[in-house]
Amino acid sequence: MKRFQNKVAESRYALTLMAIYALGVWYLGGLVENQLYLQLAFLGVSTYLMMEINNSNALIRVYSRMVSCSFLALTSMATFLFPSLRESIVQLCLITSYTIIFHIYQDKDSPGLMFYAFLCLGIASVLFIQVLYFVPLLWILIGFKMMAFSFRMFFASIVGLITPYWFLAPLSFFTGHFDSLVEHITSIAYFQPLFQYQRFNDHHYITFAFVCLVALIGMVHYLRNSHMDKIRTQMIYELLMWMNLFTVVFIVLQPQHFEILLGMMIVNTSPFIGHFLALTHTKLTNVTFYMLIFLILFITAYNLWIP
């Protein structure tokens, strides 16, 4: 007998209802008052791409929209991120990059796809230069998990990363902002003292703790049951897991970048908790499902209405 958790996870209306819920949260979070329409549009595109990642890579063995639903729920919970267009763009660039990278599994002769995947990261770096810290890790993961690394692929990734700056450099030079561009690029070498949480407030702590909890539940579940998935699916999840762990360490060490990194962490976490919700069916996991729903609603309300 299917439990309520499984009925929701396999429902064809789950994503539609989740989208209506997210619209309601965004409305309460200042969609109209603060003119957040562009940020909401980016969220819509990101949600669609998360659905495509799930569908094209069979991240969940049964029909389920839990990956995109989890992404919507977690992103809408972090209401303090709503006004940040920068965070929305970086999040979308990361998802787009993943969408492309997952298509080059065991394909060492697709420099075009590699170029576009890292072009997305290059665009993200224009807004958040620290995203380049993830690039060496991503090269390693593409080599060992996607098994798609070669000299041509490496060169294509370098070209993709620097392409946005080929356009920005002459533009900034002729508009008199070249020094600002140089300062932006060199800021990648600037580290603030470690563990500086002065800018953190209760909303940040609670939201971060919950996303960490969800990530832990999803990753532990996946590690225990990964043998049931195809090898390709396992490699994708392992790539996401290492990217997620790196993001958590980054947040802990350099919390001044918390808001953008939280958006990236949500992208990496959503497939894991979606996998957990769709493919578990015990009494304990059903209770966990209810508890997660309650906590998401509570934290969303707290972020919306408590100063």
Side-chain angles (χ1 to χ4, degrees), residues 25 41 52 56 65 74 87 99 106 137 159 163 178 182-183 190 193 203 208-209 241 252 290 301 306:
V25 173
E52 284 300 308
S56 59
R65 296 292 188 218
L74 293 173
E87 184 276 328
T99 304
Q106 290 187 331
L137 175 62
V159 175
T163 294
F178 190 74
V182 173
E183 183 180 352
Y190 175 69
H203 298 272
F208 179 52
M241 181 176 65
V252 172
Y290 283 115
I306 303 300

Short mmCIF file of all heavy atoms in Angstrom, two decimals, residues 25 41 52 56 65 74 87 99 106 137 159 163 178 182-183 190 193 203 208-209 241 252 290 301 306:
data_model
loop_
_atom_site.label_atom_id
_atom_site.label_comp_id
_atom_site.label_asym_id
_atom_site.label_seq_id
_atom_site.Cartn_x
_atom_site.Cartn_y
_atom_site.Cartn_z
N VAL A 25 4.09 32.29 -2.05
CA VAL A 25 5.17 32.72 -1.17
C VAL A 25 5.87 33.95 -1.74
O VAL A 25 6.18 34.90 -1.01
CB VAL A 25 6.18 31.57 -0.95
CG1 VAL A 25 7.40 32.05 -0.17
CG2 VAL A 25 5.52 30.42 -0.20
N ALA A 41 11.16 35.05 -12.90
CA ALA A 41 11.31 34.44 -14.22
C ALA A 41 12.54 33.53 -14.26
O ALA A 41 12.50 32.42 -14.81
CB ALA A 41 11.44 35.53 -15.29
N GLU A 52 14.18 18.99 -16.38
CA GLU A 52 14.82 18.37 -17.53
C GLU A 52 16.02 17.51 -17.11
O GLU A 52 16.26 16.44 -17.68
CB GLU A 52 15.27 19.44 -18.53
CG GLU A 52 14.13 20.02 -19.35
CD GLU A 52 13.43 18.95 -20.17
OE1 GLU A 52 14.12 18.21 -20.90
OE2 GLU A 52 12.20 18.84 -20.08
N SER A 56 15.93 13.70 -18.28
CA SER A 56 16.90 13.23 -19.28
C SER A 56 17.95 12.30 -18.68
O SER A 56 18.59 11.53 -19.41
CB SER A 56 17.57 14.42 -19.97
OG SER A 56 18.24 15.22 -19.02
N ARG A 65 8.19 14.18 -9.79
CA ARG A 65 8.65 15.55 -9.99
C ARG A 65 9.31 16.09 -8.72
O ARG A 65 9.42 17.29 -8.54
CB ARG A 65 7.46 16.46 -10.36
CG ARG A 65 6.79 16.10 -11.68
CD ARG A 65 7.69 16.37 -12.84
NE ARG A 65 7.01 16.22 -14.11
CZ ARG A 65 7.56 15.69 -15.18
NH1 ARG A 65 8.79 15.21 -15.11
NH2 ARG A 65 6.90 15.60 -16.31
N LEU A 74 12.71 24.58 -1.47
CA LEU A 74 13.87 25.09 -0.75
C LEU A 74 14.21 26.52 -1.16
O LEU A 74 14.57 27.35 -0.32
CB LEU A 74 15.07 24.17 -0.98
CG LEU A 74 14.97 22.76 -0.39
CD1 LEU A 74 16.15 21.90 -0.84
CD2 LEU A 74 14.90 22.82 1.13
N GLU A 87 22.06 36.39 -7.35
CA GLU A 87 21.94 35.00 -6.91
C GLU A 87 21.12 34.18 -7.91
O GLU A 87 21.46 33.04 -8.21
CB GLU A 87 21.29 34.96 -5.52
CG GLU A 87 21.19 33.58 -4.90
CD GLU A 87 19.96 32.81 -5.37
OE1 GLU A 87 18.93 33.48 -5.63
OE2 GLU A 87 20.02 31.58 -5.50
N THR A 99 23.28 20.76 -16.70
CA THR A 99 22.46 20.17 -17.76
C THR A 99 23.33 19.72 -18.93
O THR A 99 23.12 18.64 -19.50
CB THR A 99 21.41 21.19 -18.25
OG1 THR A 99 20.61 21.64 -17.15
CG2 THR A 99 20.50 20.57 -19.30
N GLN A 106 31.02 9.90 -20.53
CA GLN A 106 31.86 8.98 -21.32
C GLN A 106 32.08 9.48 -22.75
O GLN A 106 32.30 8.68 -23.65
CB GLN A 106 31.26 7.58 -21.34
CG GLN A 106 31.32 6.85 -20.01
CD GLN A 106 30.89 5.41 -20.08
OE1 GLN A 106 30.07 5.04 -20.92
NE2 GLN A 106 31.43 4.57 -19.22
N LEU A 137 37.77 21.50 -9.08
CA LEU A 137 37.02 20.33 -8.59
C LEU A 137 36.15 19.76 -9.70
O LEU A 137 36.06 18.54 -9.87
CB LEU A 137 36.16 20.73 -7.39
CG LEU A 137 35.23 19.65 -6.85
CD1 LEU A 137 36.01 18.44 -6.35
CD2 LEU A 137 34.34 20.21 -5.73
N VAL A 159 38.52 28.07 -22.76
CA VAL A 159 37.97 29.06 -23.69
C VAL A 159 36.58 29.51 -23.25
O VAL A 159 36.24 30.69 -23.30
CB VAL A 159 37.94 28.48 -25.13
CG1 VAL A 159 37.25 29.45 -26.09
CG2 VAL A 159 39.34 28.17 -25.62
N THR A 163 35.62 33.44 -22.34
CA THR A 163 34.85 34.10 -23.40
C THR A 163 34.08 35.33 -22.93
O THR A 163 34.11 36.38 -23.61
CB THR A 163 33.89 33.10 -24.08
OG1 THR A 163 34.65 32.10 -24.75
CG2 THR A 163 32.98 33.80 -25.08
N PHE A 178 37.57 49.88 -17.00
CA PHE A 178 38.50 48.76 -17.09
C PHE A 178 39.12 48.43 -15.73
O PHE A 178 39.33 47.27 -15.40
CB PHE A 178 39.61 49.07 -18.11
CG PHE A 178 40.47 47.89 -18.44
CD1 PHE A 178 39.99 46.87 -19.24
CD2 PHE A 178 41.76 47.79 -17.93
CE1 PHE A 178 40.78 45.78 -19.56
CE2 PHE A 178 42.56 46.70 -18.24
CZ PHE A 178 42.07 45.69 -19.05
N VAL A 182 39.32 44.78 -13.77
CA VAL A 182 40.56 44.21 -13.23
C VAL A 182 40.41 43.95 -11.73
O VAL A 182 40.83 42.90 -11.23
CB VAL A 182 41.75 45.14 -13.51
CG1 VAL A 182 43.01 44.62 -12.81
CG2 VAL A 182 42.00 45.25 -15.01
N GLU A 183 39.81 44.90 -11.04
CA GLU A 183 39.61 44.73 -9.60
C GLU A 183 38.70 43.54 -9.29
O GLU A 183 38.93 42.79 -8.34
CB GLU A 183 39.00 46.01 -9.01
CG GLU A 183 38.81 45.97 -7.51
CD GLU A 183 38.22 47.26 -6.97
OE1 GLU A 183 38.08 48.23 -7.76
OE2 GLU A 183 37.87 47.30 -5.78
N TYR A 190 41.35 37.54 -2.87
CA TYR A 190 41.12 38.19 -1.58
C TYR A 190 40.30 37.30 -0.67
O TYR A 190 39.19 36.90 -1.02
CB TYR A 190 40.41 39.53 -1.78
CG TYR A 190 40.04 40.21 -0.49
CD1 TYR A 190 41.02 40.73 0.34
CD2 TYR A 190 38.71 40.29 -0.09
CE1 TYR A 190 40.68 41.34 1.54
CE2 TYR A 190 38.37 40.90 1.11
CZ TYR A 190 39.36 41.42 1.91
OH TYR A 190 39.03 42.02 3.10
N PRO A 193 39.09 37.11 6.80
CA PRO A 193 39.41 36.17 7.89
C PRO A 193 38.35 35.08 7.98
O PRO A 193 37.17 35.31 7.71
CB PRO A 193 39.40 37.07 9.13
CG PRO A 193 39.74 38.44 8.60
CD PRO A 193 39.10 38.50 7.24
N HIS A 203 17.77 34.12 10.63
CA HIS A 203 17.21 33.59 9.38
C HIS A 203 18.26 32.79 8.61
O HIS A 203 17.96 31.72 8.07
CB HIS A 203 16.69 34.75 8.51
CG HIS A 203 15.59 35.53 9.16
ND1 HIS A 203 14.27 35.18 9.04
CD2 HIS A 203 15.62 36.63 9.95
CE1 HIS A 203 13.52 36.05 9.71
NE2 HIS A 203 14.32 36.93 10.26
N PHE A 208 20.13 27.74 6.73
CA PHE A 208 21.32 26.95 6.40
C PHE A 208 21.29 25.60 7.12
O PHE A 208 21.60 24.56 6.53
CB PHE A 208 22.58 27.73 6.77
CG PHE A 208 23.86 27.01 6.49
CD1 PHE A 208 24.12 26.45 5.25
CD2 PHE A 208 24.83 26.88 7.48
CE1 PHE A 208 25.31 25.79 4.98
CE2 PHE A 208 26.02 26.22 7.23
CZ PHE A 208 26.27 25.68 5.98
N ALA A 209 20.91 25.61 8.39
CA ALA A 209 20.86 24.35 9.16
C ALA A 209 19.85 23.38 8.55
O ALA A 209 20.12 22.17 8.45
CB ALA A 209 20.49 24.65 10.61
N MET A 241 27.27 15.33 -5.06
CA MET A 241 27.61 15.21 -3.64
C MET A 241 28.91 15.94 -3.32
O MET A 241 28.98 16.70 -2.35
CB MET A 241 27.74 13.74 -3.26
CG MET A 241 28.07 13.53 -1.79
SD MET A 241 28.11 11.77 -1.32
CE MET A 241 29.51 11.21 -2.30
N VAL A 252 31.14 27.70 5.35
CA VAL A 252 31.66 27.71 6.72
C VAL A 252 32.92 28.58 6.81
O VAL A 252 33.09 29.35 7.77
CB VAL A 252 31.95 26.28 7.19
CG1 VAL A 252 32.70 26.28 8.53
CG2 VAL A 252 30.66 25.49 7.30
N TYR A 290 6.36 14.17 6.69
CA TYR A 290 5.50 15.13 7.37
C TYR A 290 6.32 16.17 8.13
O TYR A 290 6.00 17.37 8.13
CB TYR A 290 4.57 14.40 8.35
CG TYR A 290 3.41 13.69 7.71
CD1 TYR A 290 3.31 12.31 7.76
CD2 TYR A 290 2.40 14.40 7.06
CE1 TYR A 290 2.24 11.64 7.18
CE2 TYR A 290 1.32 13.75 6.47
CZ TYR A 290 1.24 12.36 6.53
OH TYR A 290 0.18 11.72 5.95
N ALA A 301 7.50 30.72 6.82
CA ALA A 301 6.73 31.73 7.55
C ALA A 301 7.64 32.60 8.41
O ALA A 301 7.48 33.83 8.49
CB ALA A 301 5.67 31.06 8.41
N ILE A 306 9.02 37.31 10.38
CA ILE A 306 9.78 37.70 11.56
C ILE A 306 10.95 38.57 11.11
O ILE A 306 11.79 38.14 10.32
CB ILE A 306 10.31 36.46 12.31
CG1 ILE A 306 9.15 35.54 12.69
CG2 ILE A 306 11.10 36.90 13.54
CD1 ILE A 306 8.12 36.19 13.60
#
